[in-house]
Amino acid sequence: MQSTDLGNKESGKIWHRKPSPATHDGIIVNIVHSTSEYHPKVLRFLNVAFDGSGETFIAGDHQGNVYVFDLHGNRFNLVQRTAQACTALAFNLRRKSEFLVALADYSIKCFDTVTKELVSWMRGHESSVCSISVHASGRYAITTSSDTAQLWDLDTFQRKRKLNIRQSVGIQKVFFLPLSNTILSCFKDNSIFAWECDTLFCKYQLPGPPEGSSILYKVFAVTRDGRILAAGGKSNHLHLWCLEARQLFRIIQMPTKVRAVRHLEFLPDSFDAGSNQVLGVLSQDGIMRFVNIQTCKLLFEIGTVEDGISSSVISPHGRYIASIMENGSLNVYSVQALTQEINKPPPPLVKVIEDLPNNTVSSSNLKMKIMSGRVQRPARCKESKIQTRILKQDLTGSLENKENELSEGLNKKRLQILLKGYGEYPTKYRMFIWRSLLQLPENHTAFSSLVDKGTHAAYLGLQKKYPIKSRKLLRVLQRTLSALAHWSAIFSDMPYLPLLAFPFVKLFQNNQLICFEVVATLIINWCQHWFEYFPNPPINILSMIENVLAFHDKELLQHFIDRDITSQVYAWPLLETLFSEVLTREEWLRLFDNIFSNHPSFLLMTVVAYSTCSRAPLLNCTLKDDFEYFFHHRNNLDINVVIREVYHLMETTPADIHPNSMLDAFVALTKGQYPIFNQYPKFIVDYQTQERERIRNDELDFLRERQTVENMQAEVDEQRAKDEAWHQKQELLRRAEETRREILLQEEEKMAQQRHRLAAVKRELEIKEIHLQDAARRRLLKLHQDQREMELRRLEDEIERKVHMRDQEIATTAKDLEIRQLELEAQKRLYEKDLTASQEAVAKEIREDTDAHRRKVALEEHMFQKLVENSQMGSRRAQRVMEDSLAKAEQACLNADWQIQTLHKQKCEDRQRGEGYYEVATLLRKNRRKEVEVLKAMMEEEAKKWKEAKEKEFRLQSEKKTSALSDASRKWFLRQETSAALEHEDVPWLQRQHMDSTCLPPTSRLKDVSDMDFSTHIFSRNKPTEWNHLEHDLLKNVRNLRRRLTARARGSCGYSHLLVT
């Protein structure tokens, strides 16, 4: 058993060597479709369908891949990828290349296997389609699902009718009856209806199953003639219905192993005229059993319990069975390998009945009922067994029957009557009838001995003379002609033998034995006396034809004589080709049906009839070339008219010129060994053979002598060629040496020139490299310069920003001082007014005490508010200082990163840069010392101011000693809180800001002092002048300090820039 894996191939061969199925399983090939992924898996086939020829089928798997398998051409092709599982297939449409496929989305699609394109898309079902039935004409199709059946017109792909049923009654199957216009619908309640396809008129309903039968029909099958319906279900019983009588006529009980029937299908037979007798039954165990429904005999079975069958389809001609196995693979079986009971020729129409032992029964009492297909035998007697014996008849009848009876039991007279009625034999039985008429012995041993002798020498070059495209046909023709030449020597010298045998070789190319025996029988009987005038055409045969033509059509013969047209022009071309040049295949077969069924003279009469039926165009011909063309090409002539004319000539030709009197009757080939054929002038053939042998020997001697002379001449020429070659070689060597020297000199000159060019190119490259390096250095310097300029601009912007911020802070401070001055002046005027009022109201002590108490309370609240404002202002100043410090720290980080990158890029300048940093550090230390001196000076100034403030405070304390003792504790608490706030605000600020904070503490201290002074006593009139001088000095010092710091920062940046560049 051969196995084929489709894999990912889209086309290929089904089998790689000629299949030889075994008789025990009959498997031709096992087809598997597996994927080549990381985890291989088998794609299961789901449905199979054959086409009308039975040589091609399609199969679909559960992923929607549809393949076409051509068993005759040994090819498979992937025709469609539907991406959905196939639920049903149909491949017997009117357009042979189209097929229907039902998909899992309840739709039906029509594809073309040649173009692989979608032809139509049909929708309408609401559940899965389980079957598709196509009309015999291929025009209509019925698709069946569990709830409905729909009739489609395949010309327009439109739905014509829809079968709706109640939900309680489901549909089992709806299908067309073969070779009829009837639709059969089978329902789940065992009801079966027959409908007219065109009108959908209910023709009849089959009665229900007999009482006591519990079978529910699930599967159905119909014979090819549409007369018998087989039904089965979940039971081992099969019901056979006669659709003509509309009744159940047989119940078949399957073996006990069968518990349920899953599929039924009749096996077609070539000789049963559609009344199939073999039924395939697929049971639940996966085994398909084929039984004869007449004899109830089990013929064969396929599948096993281990490797069960899921579903099967049988080809229309009954040669193949395609089965889908339970493992998802596909098996193709050969029916001929499984059984010999199928496709057997029918038994003879005539059966011979012998007399009883006492010879008391006369022939008049014997009655036989002969049906159209077979002869029915009389009923046998139970008491005695009938013995076979030939009936004795009269002498005349015996001779006639002996002549008309054939070896297989066919009667020649009956065949002639059938032939005259239909004009030809049935195509299906033509070969069988020919074999019977010619009484072929089928001598396998004798034919094998002829074939074993090999190809005859006369036909070794057959392909050159007859270039046939088909190599198989050429081999069969060569083998047949060689066998004929080995059988009789004259056939090796017949130039027209290939033309005579070619039609039969083409017809019987698959059975070479039959082909040889047909040609041999034809030569012995229908070519009688052809070889008496060999190697000339058979003049005697041509004379017979001319005599018959002269009797029946003298005008045509006289026209031939006038135009110098002999029988070798109008008769011999038809005979030597057996009419194959002037007739089509069907016409030729029809003609030889009549030739083989009549006397050998029928062939000669056909030549005459062909000319007489064509007398009109022949009488119009005047040139010899026109006549030759006419008898070598096909003409517009009805072969039926010619055959009728032949029969007319056979009956009306006088006996003295009738070929029937000059030709012998038909003689069949002998069995065992073929007869000796020597009906030819042996001395001519022998003389030609001897002359041919003598010429062959002379030719061989001449060829040997010429070969010897040619060898000697070749040796002389070879020696001369060697000498000339040696001289030429020496001359070539000398020239080659001179050429090599010239080439060496030229190469040396070229090398010198190349060296000069290379040196110049090298210099140019070095100059270019220097220029490139210089340009790169300049670009790098420019880049560094741009970076330094960018950094300087950034520093200048930063300095300008800081200067702008300092100016804003100074302006804000000045505005605060001015506002404070205005407040002090307002307070001074208020206190002066209060003092004046207190002096004027001395007398009013009680009111004064009250006013003093109110003022004290107001002063306390105002002082507390000022304390809160001072604390908030100090917090804002500290936050601003911290933000500035953070910005400077970030800038320092950026500067450090930039310096690190510069260090890595310019390692060669580390030393110079270190010295520059050292100098810068020295300048920074000097700057810091100067700043420390400035800070010390400012702190001294601050100390002086504090000392002055303390003196003033001491003076104020001495003046406040006169205040009430009750106020002393509160004033001390406020002074302690003010001192703590000033320390928390001023000390961190002085520590973090060495340059910027020097101008702010005096103001802050001044504010605190002013607050304290304000809280202790009222200013005198000379205090404003002193505060104005102090503020002016502080502003001046701040401006000078800013200028110095700006100048130093710019100087430090410029110096570092010079060091870097």
Side-chain angles (χ1 to χ4, degrees), residues 396-461:
T396 306
S398 64
L399 293 176
E400 185 180 357
N401 288 337
K402 184 176 181 182
E403 179 183 357
N404 293 328
E405 286 182 0
L406 303 179
S407 58
E408 283 80 3
L410 298 178
N411 188 279
K412 190 173 182 179
K413 288 292 185 180
R414 293 181 59 83
L415 290 176
Q416 289 177 349
I417 294 172
L418 179 66
L419 182 62
K420 287 183 179 180
Y422 293 96
E424 60 179 340
Y425 291 129
T427 304
K428 185 185 298 184
Y429 304 110
R430 175 177 281 124
M431 300 300 105
F432 171 72
I433 295 173
W434 281 15
R435 291 166 60 183
S436 301
L437 290 172
L438 300 179
Q439 301 179 21
L440 303 181
E442 299 185 13
N443 299 327
H444 293 275
T445 306
F447 178 71
S448 299
S449 64
L450 294 175
V451 172
D452 293 340
K453 293 180 180 180
T455 305
H456 197 275
Y459 298 107
L460 289 174

Side-chain angles (χ1 to χ4, degrees), residues 652-667:
T652 59
T653 302
D656 55 342
I657 61 173
H658 200 295
N660 192 6
S661 62
M662 305 174 190
L663 299 179
D664 298 332
F666 174 80
V667 178

Side-chain angles (χ1 to χ4, degrees), residues 744-763:
L744 287 174
L745 292 175
Q746 293 176 1
E747 290 295 331
E748 289 178 357
E749 292 178 0
K750 290 181 181 178
M751 289 294 293
Q753 293 176 1
Q754 289 180 358
R755 288 194 188 96
H756 291 304
R757 286 198 296 270
L758 286 174
V761 172
K762 188 174 181 181
R763 287 193 298 273

Side-chain angles (χ1 to χ4, degrees), residues 484-494 496 523 527-536 675-689:
L484 290 171
H486 291 308
W487 176 44
S488 180
I490 191 173
F491 298 129
S492 63
D493 297 325
M494 285 177 57
Y496 57 86
I523 292 174
C527 298
Q528 298 180 37
H529 310 295
W530 279 29
F531 314 107
E532 294 179 357
Y533 294 90
F534 181 82
N536 299 317
I676 299 174
F677 185 81
N678 53 4
Q679 298 176 5
Y680 58 89
K682 193 171 184 301
F683 67 95
I684 295 178
V685 176
D686 294 342
Y687 175 75
Q688 287 186 350
T689 305

Side-chain angles (χ1 to χ4, degrees), residues 683-699:
F683 67 95
I684 295 178
V685 176
D686 294 342
Y687 175 75
Q688 287 186 350
T689 305
Q690 293 172 5
E691 285 297 315
R692 193 181 299 109
E693 188 67 24
R694 183 182 61 78
I695 293 171
R696 186 180 294 110
N697 293 332
D698 293 343
E699 186 178 359

Side-chain angles (χ1 to χ4, degrees), residues 930-967:
K930 291 181 180 181
E931 290 176 357
V932 170
E933 292 175 359
V934 171
L935 289 174
K936 287 181 179 180
M938 293 179 68
M939 291 177 68
E940 290 176 357
E941 184 69 23
E942 185 181 4
K944 290 179 182 181
K945 296 296 182 181
W946 273 105
K947 186 176 180 181
E948 184 179 358
K950 287 181 180 179
E951 291 177 356
K952 293 179 180 180
E953 185 179 1
F954 180 74
R955 198 164 47 248
L956 289 173
Q957 289 294 334
S958 62
E959 290 179 358
K960 290 193 292 182
K961 287 181 181 179
T962 57
S963 299
L965 294 175
S966 61
D967 299 331

Side-chain angles (χ1 to χ4, degrees), residues 190 207-215 217 237-241 247-251:
N190 284 358
E211 297 181 1
S213 176
S214 60
I215 182 174
Y217 296 155
H237 287 183
L238 298 177
H239 289 186
L240 300 181
W241 292 85
Q247 63 181 2
L248 180 67
F249 73 93
R250 182 167 300 165
I251 298 178

